[in-house]
Amino acid sequence: MLYLASQSPRRRELLARLGLAFAPLDIDVPEQRQPGEPPEDYVRRVAREKAGAGLLQVMAVAGAHVLGADTEVVLDDEVFGKPRDAADAAAMLRRLSGRTHRVISAVSLVSAAREAQAVSISEVSFAVLDAAAIAAYVATGEWDGKAGAYAIQGAAQAFVAHLSGSHSGVMGLPLYETARLLRAAGLLK
């Protein structure tokens, strides 16, 4: 049985595209970067911790596999998590405006017998955003709960001048890497 250690509707939607049956798990893992921790190490650690926390919930299920993921926006080595409020979202978007940032998405697949992980790193270049564009986007509320204060699958697509990497990875679950992990575990043909 496959479990997804996430309540994210985007991750559920993306994983469903692979045609596998799975059950979502509600887990609570603190997403706190340690002092001096490199961004990629942080994202990898959080994905692993989410999968591990999920596995603890389903240890009694024979053959259980748990998929955990984390996605963060990184600009100049600073990790942009989820904005606290609309003002924080606007500040993040102002900083991303006219710049290229990285989106790091890590996926961990764990079972009682094994652990595997993959990472997708994408580069996203934003157009220059004026104050009106930022205000209009923030007013949509789409930024809420999104790393870097934007959802590439929504209205923020209009901000993306160039994407090099994984569109699904920027959304929160890199499907190429996820499918590779699931195939290696014998869960996907």
Side-chain angles (χ1 to χ4, degrees):
M1 176 67 186
L2 179 63
Y3 295 90
L4 176 63
S6 176
Q7 287 295 315
S8 163
R10 292 161 306 286
R11 287 199 178 109
R12 287 196 309 261
E13 173 196 333
L14 287 166
L15 187 56
R17 291 179 188 178
L18 295 179
L20 290 172
F22 66 92
L25 297 172
D26 190 7
I27 53 118
D28 186 23
V29 169
E31 296 184 29
Q32 193 71 33
R33 186 177 174 198
Q34 302 302 316
E37 186 176 27
E40 185 176 331
D41 292 354
Y42 165 65
V43 177
R44 283 176 173 273
R45 178 178 57 79
V46 171
R48 190 177 316 107
E49 288 175 359
K50 288 178 179 180
L55 188 60
L56 289 175
Q57 288 185 19
V58 296
M59 283 299 283
V61 178
H65 286 77
V66 179
L67 191 71
D70 188 48
T71 300
E72 298 294 346
V73 168
V74 180
L75 179 68
D76 299 332
D77 201 48
E78 182 182 345
V79 174
F80 285 42
K82 298 173 182 90
R84 293 180 303 278
D85 53 28
D88 193 30
M92 287 183 185
L93 293 169
R94 281 193 298 275
R95 298 224 10 242
L96 296 173
S97 173
R99 306 267 321 266
T100 298
H101 61 273
R102 291 182 301 146
V103 178
I104 303 172
S105 194
V107 183
S108 286
L109 181 65
V110 299
S111 68
R114 62 183 288 176
E115 176 182 337
Q117 189 173 67
V119 175
S120 166
I121 299 177
S122 302
E123 288 193 350
V124 181
S125 299
F126 266 25
V128 174
L129 307 176
D130 62 23
I134 291 172
Y137 183 72
V138 169
T140 69
E142 190 178 87
W143 55 267
D144 191 24
K146 312 292 189 309
Y150 74 93
I152 196 168
Q153 70 275 18
Q157 288 179 78
F159 301 162
V160 179
H162 184 77
L163 167 65
S164 176
S166 170
H167 187 269
S168 61
V170 176
M171 281 179 66
L173 188 68
L175 288 182
Y176 174 78
E177 290 80 359
T178 301
R180 243 183 38 231
L181 289 176
L182 293 169
R183 272 191 209 96
L187 298 173
L188 185 65
K189 294 187 191 309

